[in-house]
């Protein structure tokens, strides 16, 4: 499938909606928790078992993005979005079959393995294209798309809950909900497949400056640079810190104020989780756009430095004030989302646009690592503290200070980032040859 080249006069502002149609769809992953209680009840699963499809999906996201990144660059965004559509939607259909026949392993295979592959390919599918269309504002462009991944759960959570209420929460109702998800997302993601275009050659993206200029580094060379691994550490530490609160948000706020005169109600807990999702989404567009003004290194200094301060406030005095606790948590989650949205632009600054999608895919293995590390730290320590007879905010004090240490490590790694040495640059002749090979003769 040849990359569809924009005809003369094509507006670059049509590309972000194409990216959003994919990211809003695959962002359903953050709403998996809606299906956990019904699955546990219908199939007799434990909490650990019901979480497995989601955990495998996140692992496959990182792996498929890493191993498929080069194919995405070679074949273009339409091919990548089509692969994402097929994998993500068919993952739901296989899961529907698993729920209908009460075969749990089919749900793990469908949602976790097949759907997770679609997550990874879909996540990186528009990144390189957006950066090429918006070389003047790469942070804003990638922020718009990746905002969709953070906001997908705001749509999917109430929608899924309503379907389970209408269809029933037994195995047949869950199967029907999975089926509707698979078919609906296939239609919605098709809009992105049909709409996406790449800019023509190295000329002007409509309304924007020239693309394909400056430093250009291949994916294979990028992973051999210290800059790549410094950014890997930066992303891993920032995500670990954010996901530590995100995964444990509801029980954490209840525990922090359980021993006070005003414990947190169930409805207030749900509202807190919704606020965190909103902060996650807003941070993706707000902070990444800010990075276009103050620079990528500076914005990560904010994420990591101010994030550490927020964790310190929660650890030391968070249980004395609900507004303070909520405010600090919202800031941390906005940094969590902002870190995801800003890193593609950071990669573009360091390695150029030549194979930035493939480089981004390899970097997302940091997300897979953090997805295991963050919840493990918070949950394991909380369990051990509870066994030791502690309760309330004391369950989390140690893990919060560990998060501060991890953010400090990320801060140092960010400070070590320097321009890529010229020996890693791609010769201009090779870049032009590769670009010409990927370019079809006529506009799509």
């Amino acid at each position: 499938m040849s990359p569809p080249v924009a005809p003369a006069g094509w507006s670059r502002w049509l590309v972000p909606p194409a990216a959003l149609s994919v990211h809003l769809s695959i962002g359903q992953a953050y709403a998996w928790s809606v299906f956990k209680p019904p699955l546990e009840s219908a199939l007799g699963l434990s909490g650990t078992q019901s979480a497995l499809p989601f955990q495998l999906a996140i692992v496959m996201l990182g792996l498929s993005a890493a191993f498929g990144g080069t194919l995405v660059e070679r074949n273009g965004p339409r091919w990548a979005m089509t692969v994402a559509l097929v994998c993500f939607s068919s993952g739901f259909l296989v899961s529907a079959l698993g729920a209908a026949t009460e075969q749990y392993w089919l749900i793990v295979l469908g949602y976790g393995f097949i759907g997770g592959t679609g997550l990874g390919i879909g996540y990186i599918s528009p990144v390189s294209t957006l950066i090429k269309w918006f070389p003047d504002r790469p942070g804003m462009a990638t922020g718009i798309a990746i905002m969709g991944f953070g906001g997908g759960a705001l749509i999917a959570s109430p929608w899924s809950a309503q379907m389970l209420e209408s269809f029933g929460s037994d195995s047949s109702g869950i199967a029907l909900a999975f089926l509707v998800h698979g078919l609906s997302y296939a239609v919605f993601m098709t809009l992105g497949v049909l709409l996406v275009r790449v800019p023509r050659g190295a000329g002007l993206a409509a309304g924007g400056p020239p693309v394909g200029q400056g430093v250009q580094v291949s994916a294979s060379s990028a992973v051999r640079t210290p800059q790549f691994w410094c950014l890997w550490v930066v992303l891993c530490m920032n995500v670990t810190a954010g996901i530590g609160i995100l995964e444990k948000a509801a029980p954490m706020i209840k525990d922090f104020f359980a021993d006070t005169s005003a414990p947190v109600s169930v409805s207030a807990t749900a509202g807190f989780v919704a606020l965190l999702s909103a902060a996650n989404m807003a941070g993706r567009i707000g902070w990444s756009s800010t990075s276009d003004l103050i620079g990528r290194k500076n914005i990560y200094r904010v994420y990591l430095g101010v994030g550490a301060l927020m964790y310190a406030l929660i650890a030391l005095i968070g249980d004395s004030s609900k507004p303070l606790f909520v405010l600090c948590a919202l800031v941390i989650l906005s940094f969590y989302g902002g870190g995801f949205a800003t890193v593609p632009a950071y990669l573009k600054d360091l390695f150029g646009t030549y194979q930035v999608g493939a480089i981004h895919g390899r970097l997302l293995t940091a997300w897979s690592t953090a997805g295991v590390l963050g919840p493990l730290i918070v949950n394991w320590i909380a369990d051990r503290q509870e066994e030791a007879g502690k309760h309330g905010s004391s369950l989390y004090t140690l893990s919060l200070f560990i998060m501060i240490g991890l953010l400090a490590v990320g801060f140092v790694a960010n400070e070590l980032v320097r321009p890529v040495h010229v020996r890693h640059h791609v010769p201009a002749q090779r870049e032009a040859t590769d670009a010409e090979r990927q370019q079809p003769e006529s506009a799509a």
Side-chain angles (χ1 to χ4, degrees), residues 1 54 97 127 139 156 166 233 236 246 268 289 301 304 314 329 340 349 352 376 404-405 415 419 422 428 444:
M1 184 181 293
F54 171 76
L97 177 62
V127 169
S166 300
V233 171
C236 186
L246 183 63
S289 297
R301 285 168 173 155
L304 300 161
I314 291 176
F340 279 124
D349 293 347
L376 180 64
I404 294 171
E415 294 303 307
V422 68

Side-chain angles (χ1 to χ4, degrees), residues 194-258:
L194 297 176
L195 191 59
V196 72
R197 298 289 188 277
V198 297
R200 182 177 295 274
L204 289 177
V211 299
Q213 297 180 354
V215 174
Q216 303 295 334
V217 181
S218 69
S220 58
S221 294
V223 296
R224 295 197 294 267
T225 65
Q227 288 83 355
F228 176 88
W229 293 106
C230 282
L231 276 188
W232 193 97
V233 171
V234 166
L235 182 63
C236 186
M237 298 301 101
N238 190 61
V239 173
T240 299
I243 209 168
I245 279 190
L246 183 63
E247 192 272 341
K248 196 75 170 177
M252 182 180 288
I253 193 171
K254 289 183 70 174
D255 289 337
F256 255 76
F257 298 99

Side-chain angles (χ1 to χ4, degrees), residues 92 100 243 390 438:
F92 269 112
I243 209 168
K390 296 185 179 181
Q438 295 177 21

Side-chain angles (χ1 to χ4, degrees), residues 63-131:
L63 294 178
S64 62
F67 290 105
T70 301
L71 289 175
V72 171
E73 286 292 313
R74 182 181 302 138
N75 296 319
R78 176 170 287 178
W79 175 89
M81 289 181 177
T82 301
V83 171
L85 183 161
V86 171
C87 290
F88 189 66
S89 296
S90 62
F92 269 112
L93 301 184
V94 172
S95 297
L97 177 62
T101 59
E102 299 188 2
Q103 296 294 314
Y104 169 64
W105 69 272
L106 281 174
I107 298 175
V108 176
L109 173 66
Y111 192 91
F113 186 82
I114 301 173
T117 300
L119 282 181
I121 299 299
Y123 191 87
I124 64 174
S125 63
V127 169
S128 176
T129 302
L130 283 167
I131 288 176

Side-chain angles (χ1 to χ4, degrees), residues 120-176:
I121 299 299
Y123 191 87
I124 64 174
S125 63
V127 169
S128 176
T129 302
L130 283 167
I131 288 176
K132 290 171 183 175
W133 275 109
F134 293 86
D136 53 330
R137 285 181 281 182
M140 178 212 70
T142 55
I144 290 174
I146 294 175
M147 174 187 68
F149 191 86
L154 294 179
I155 299 172
S157 291
W159 183 41
S160 300
Q162 182 59 50
M163 275 195 285
L164 290 171
E165 184 177 334
S166 300
F167 302 150
S169 57
D170 58 0
S171 59
S172 60
I174 296 170
L176 190 53

